[in-house]
């Protein structure tokens, strides 16, 4: 597998500038566990229960559980801490996580006694996260750039008054060459590149990343029940992506010189999909749910820019060298993304008016993610074939398990507990070898681990109309933070990225207020 991946990696890295990679595909395909305070306090396990906006978003058949109309909203106060070594950065967020309306319409029909309509807004993912890491690398970014530039013709890297290399070729090579970080060596009719001579100085390296944004979802749902035994539902989903990323990677060579590479990425877009669901109630105490979420088809537009600020006077022999900021300029790009679909199987038990236990299992095949050219593009339709082949090799089926209980102490007051586990989507080989494919100049990426959620909360019914739910959600995950991918030739590791260990912990406080009428 190493040899195949290396060949694909080399081909992708030499592609023109408007390239995306598996990192981009996964970023917008993977969603978090979000929801109302009641559902989240039960670990998000609401697929077979319904009667809650999160339950409807998991399984649209849950809208048929309602026997009254409802309006509601959830306020989120969260704080996430990202820690590398002894250094941690906190980032806080306040916002509305969901809003919803359900309209209950009884029918004069014993077989189909109702038809319900609903609209809901749900935040599927928040990208808000800052990370900082520093240490002594085993290999430098300069060595990585030099290795990945081998075979690129020098004429495509030199920036002149008449030629801009950022309009045609691989950005990282162009930035590295124009910042004097790599030097060309001609061998016959091809070029290879060597790192600038830093006299064996071991650098201090640092990473800083700043992320902001979200994936929001808008569902339009219709559902009914057949003989009060089988609930059926359908949702049309519209998703909105807003994402900003800024990264810095620096190498400081014993205070004699160094450089900082900065990247900016802005992505905007929208997508459509659908959900189909059913909930079967063979007896009053048992609910069985099954739902299918179709893939989401996104149309995305991004704008990206990169620069290197180099101060390498102590190492560069060229008399024309002057420390400077080498900027690529800002460029737009458009592409389509098809995310994988999702299957949700659920079971729940409702014992009288006092106790509820619920379990959800979700399955997503991330190897089915597909990057595509925009529908109106005139470029070669096979443009992303290599990227999609890498995606299928590097990703797998991933499971999510959610479980929760609720106990009603009085007719007004309830207590809840829950837990959820979300499996990472990576094939075991890519986790072991750390050779994900990146595009453009932003080589920094996270290899995310499994996520664990510990949840709890309470609910209070003031009367038959008003209710208030509160929840606390604690999430933890361990990631590998790579400054650039490992590079292999065959099975031999030639560039060792030595990833940092990143620990992420977040606490969310959720407050849901609802009115039924």
């Amino acid at each position: 597998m190493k040899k195949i991946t290396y060949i694909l990696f080399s081909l992708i890295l030499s592609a023109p500038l408007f390239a995306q990679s598996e990192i981009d595909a996964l970023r917008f395909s993977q969603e978090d566990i979000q929801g109302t305070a009641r559902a989240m306090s039960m670990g998000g396990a609401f697929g077979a229960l319904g009667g809650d906006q999160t339950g409807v978003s998991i399984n649209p058949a849950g809208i048929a559980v309602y026997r009254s109309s409802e309006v509601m909203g959830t306020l989120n106060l969260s704080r996430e801490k990202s820690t590398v070594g002894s250094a941690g950065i906190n980032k806080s967020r306040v916002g509305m996580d969901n809003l919803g309306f359900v309209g209950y319409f009884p029918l004069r029909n014993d077989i189909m006694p109702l038809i319900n309509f609903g609209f809901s807004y749900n935040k599927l993912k928040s990208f808000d996260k800052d990370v900082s890491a520093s240490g002594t690398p085993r290999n430098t970014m300069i060595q990585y750039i030099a290795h990945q530039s081998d075979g690129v013709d020098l004429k495509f890297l030199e920036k002149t008054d008449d030629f801009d290399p950022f309009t045609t070729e691989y950005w990282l090579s162009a930035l590295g060459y124009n910042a004097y970080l790599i030097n060309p060596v001609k061998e016959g009719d091809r070029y290879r590149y060597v790192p600038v001579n830093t006299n064996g100085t071991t650098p201090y390296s640092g990473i800083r990343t700043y992320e902001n944004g979200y994936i929001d979802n808008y569902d339009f749902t219709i559902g009914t029940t057949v003989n009060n035994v089988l609930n059926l539902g359908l949702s049309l989903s519209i998703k909105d992506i807003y994402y900003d990323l800024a990264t810095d990677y620096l190498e400081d060579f014993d205070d004699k010189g160094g450089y900082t590479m900065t990247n900016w990425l802005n992505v905007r877009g929208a997508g459509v999909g659908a959900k189909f669901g059913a909930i079967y109630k063979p007896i009053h105490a048992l609910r069985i749910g099954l739902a299918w979420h179709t893939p989401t088809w996104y149309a995305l537009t991004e704008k990206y820019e990169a620069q290197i600020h180099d101060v390498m006077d102590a190492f560069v022999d060229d008399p024309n060298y002057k420390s400077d900021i080498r900027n690529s300029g800002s460029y737009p790009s458009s592409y389509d993304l098809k995310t994988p679909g999702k299957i949700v199987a659920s079971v729940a038990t409702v014992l009288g008016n006092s106790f509820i236990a619920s379990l959800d299992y979700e399955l997503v095949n991330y190897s089915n993610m597909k990057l595509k050219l925009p529908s109106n593009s005139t470029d070669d339709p096979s443009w992303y074939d290599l990227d999609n082949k890498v995606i299928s090799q590097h990703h797998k089926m991933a499971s999510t398990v959610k479980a929760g209980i609720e106990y009603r102490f009085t007719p007004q007051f309830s207590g809840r507990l829950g837990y959820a586990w979300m499996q990472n989507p990576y094939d075991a080989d890519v986790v072991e070898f750390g050779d994900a494919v990146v595009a453009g100049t932003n080589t920094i990426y996270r290899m995310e681990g499994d996520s664990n959620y510990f949840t709890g909360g309470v609910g209070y019914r003031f009367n038959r109309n008003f209710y208030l739910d509160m929840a606390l959600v604690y999430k933890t995950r361990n990631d590998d933070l790579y400054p650039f991918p490992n590079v292999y030739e065959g099975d031999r590791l030639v560039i060792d990225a030595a990833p940092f260990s990143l620990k992420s912990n977040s606490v969310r406080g959720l407050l849901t207020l609802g009115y039924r009428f």
Side-chain angles (χ1 to χ4, degrees):
M1 178 179 172
K2 290 294 102 188
K3 293 181 180 178
I4 294 174
T5 301
Y6 176 71
I7 293 170
L8 293 174
F9 189 41
S10 300
L11 289 170
I12 290 170
L13 289 178
S14 61
L17 69 158
F18 54 96
Q20 287 73 39
S21 74
E22 60 179 314
I23 305 298
D24 302 280
L26 182 61
R27 178 189 294 126
F28 302 125
S29 294
Q30 192 177 37
E31 299 168 355
D32 201 359
I33 300 177
Q34 303 273 4
T36 63
R38 184 186 182 194
M40 290 304 299
S41 64
M42 295 175 63
F46 239 79
L49 291 171
D52 177 276
Q53 290 289 349
T54 296
V56 175
S57 70
I58 297 170
N59 187 333
I63 197 170
V65 175
Y66 281 92
R67 294 299 183 268
S68 62
S69 298
E70 178 187 72
V71 291
M72 52 72 62
T74 300
L75 178 67
N76 172 18
L77 298 90
S78 63
R79 187 173 188 178
E80 178 164 353
K81 185 175 184 179
S82 303
T83 305
V84 177
S86 59
I89 296 181
N90 293 308
K91 190 157 189 176
S92 301
R93 183 177 73 87
V94 179
M96 294 298 296
D97 267 13
N98 53 58
L99 295 167
F101 165 78
V102 171
Y104 167 64
F105 297 93
L107 304 175
R108 296 181 178 181
N109 189 315
D110 292 335
I111 297 176
M112 190 178 294
L114 59 86
I115 184 168
N116 292 345
F117 299 89
F119 165 78
S120 65
Y121 152 76
N122 295 285
K123 186 170 295 296
L124 299 181
K125 187 174 187 176
S126 170
F127 292 109
D128 294 359
K129 188 179 185 70
D130 293 345
V131 176
S132 179
S134 60
T136 302
R138 295 184 187 140
N139 288 108
T140 66
M141 174 71 81
I142 300 176
Q143 291 172 310
Y144 175 80
I145 296 173
H147 186 278
Q148 299 307 104
S149 301
D150 278 356
V152 178
D153 196 309
L154 181 60
K155 68 180 181 181
F156 295 125
L157 302 184
E158 294 179 306
K159 189 170 186 177
T160 67
D161 293 338
D162 300 322
F163 179 74
D164 183 358
F166 300 108
T167 62
T168 56
E169 286 296 327
Y170 177 45
W171 280 34
L172 193 57
S173 300
L175 271 179
Y177 174 77
N178 287 284
Y180 293 81
L181 300 183
I182 58 175
N183 297 312
V185 177
K186 192 168 186 180
E187 297 179 338
D189 59 352
R190 72 184 302 274
Y191 285 90
R192 68 179 180 88
Y193 295 82
V194 295
V196 63
N197 184 5
T198 57
N199 302 319
T201 305
T202 300
Y204 165 90
S205 67
I207 292 174
R208 293 186 294 266
T209 68
Y210 311 91
E211 290 180 278
N212 292 281
Y214 53 78
I215 301 177
D216 285 347
N217 183 81
Y218 304 87
D219 279 340
F220 301 85
T221 305
I222 183 172
T224 188
T225 184
V226 179
N227 291 323
N228 289 309
V229 173
L230 178 65
N231 293 351
L232 301 173
L234 164 67
S235 292
L236 172 65
S237 299
I238 299 174
K239 297 181 181 180
D240 176 35
I241 288 178
Y242 183 100
Y243 179 72
D244 291 332
L245 169 68
T247 67
D248 290 325
Y249 179 81
L250 64 90
E251 289 183 339
D252 184 357
F253 293 88
D254 199 21
D255 295 327
K256 297 177 182 178
Y259 69 93
T260 299
M261 179 188 296
T262 303
N263 284 271
W264 297 272
L265 174 67
N266 313 107
V267 183
R268 307 289 184 266
V272 296
K275 305 172 188 176
F276 305 89
I279 298 175
Y280 179 57
K281 187 169 65 173
I283 58 174
H284 178 75
L286 180 64
R287 320 284 170 87
I288 301 169
L290 184 65
W292 177 54
H293 299 194
T294 72
T296 299
W297 289 268
Y298 283 112
L300 301 172
T301 300
E302 68 179 28
K303 182 175 69 174
Y304 46 97
E305 183 177 352
Q307 73 177 30
I308 289 182
H309 182 193
D310 54 277
V311 185
M312 300 289 286
D313 306 75
F315 306 116
V316 177
D317 296 329
D318 192 323
N320 297 319
Y321 173 78
K322 291 181 181 180
S323 62
D324 203 351
I325 297 176
R326 330 283 174 167
N327 189 279
S328 67
S330 179
Y331 290 86
S333 173
S334 296
Y335 64 100
D336 290 352
L337 170 66
K338 177 187 171 185
T339 71
K342 180 193 296 185
I343 296 174
V344 186
S346 311
V347 63
T349 183
V350 180
L351 302 180
N353 294 319
S354 298
F355 181 76
I356 297 173
S358 184
L359 177 69
D360 284 6
Y361 175 76
E362 300 178 357
L363 188 63
V364 180
N365 187 355
Y366 286 95
S367 68
N368 288 336
M369 298 183 294
K370 299 292 183 186
L371 293 164
K372 299 182 177 182
L373 290 171
S375 57
N376 60 350
S377 174
T378 58
D379 291 304
D380 185 349
S382 64
W383 178 264
Y384 286 112
D385 284 358
L386 291 175
D387 301 88
N388 291 328
K389 187 170 184 178
V390 170
I391 287 172
S392 66
Q393 289 181 338
H394 283 187
H395 297 84
K396 65 176 184 181
M397 288 268 197
S399 300
T400 298
V401 179
K402 300 181 287 187
I405 58 172
E406 175 183 273
Y407 185 77
R408 184 169 295 176
F409 295 97
T410 71
Q412 292 79 32
F413 182 74
S414 301
R416 304 161 186 135
L417 290 172
Y419 170 76
W421 169 75
M422 181 181 289
Q423 185 181 24
N424 78 77
Y426 304 105
D427 180 82
D429 279 352
V430 76
V431 174
E432 178 183 355
F433 293 109
D435 59 345
V437 173
V438 297
T441 55
N442 184 27
T443 62
I444 300 168
Y445 70 96
R446 294 193 303 269
M447 190 75 70
E448 298 176 349
D450 297 348
S451 298
N452 292 276
Y453 301 76
F454 303 89
T455 71
V458 295
Y460 189 79
R461 271 47 182 165
F462 296 96
N463 51 45
R464 61 178 295 182
N465 302 112
F466 283 100
Y467 66 88
L468 178 70
D469 295 314
M470 295 178 287
L472 280 176
V473 180
Y474 177 71
K475 176 185 176 183
T476 180
R477 190 182 69 214
N478 295 329
D479 305 338
D480 289 328
L481 175 64
Y482 281 83
F484 43 83
N486 287 333
V487 178
Y488 292 82
E489 291 181 353
D491 291 325
R492 184 171 66 92
L493 178 64
V494 294
I495 301 291
D496 187 351
F500 297 94
S501 178
L502 170 63
K503 296 181 179 180
S504 299
N505 301 283
S506 68
V507 177
R508 272 185 279 162
L510 301 173
L511 184 68
T512 298
L513 179 64
Y515 177 73
R516 291 183 172 175
F517 56 95

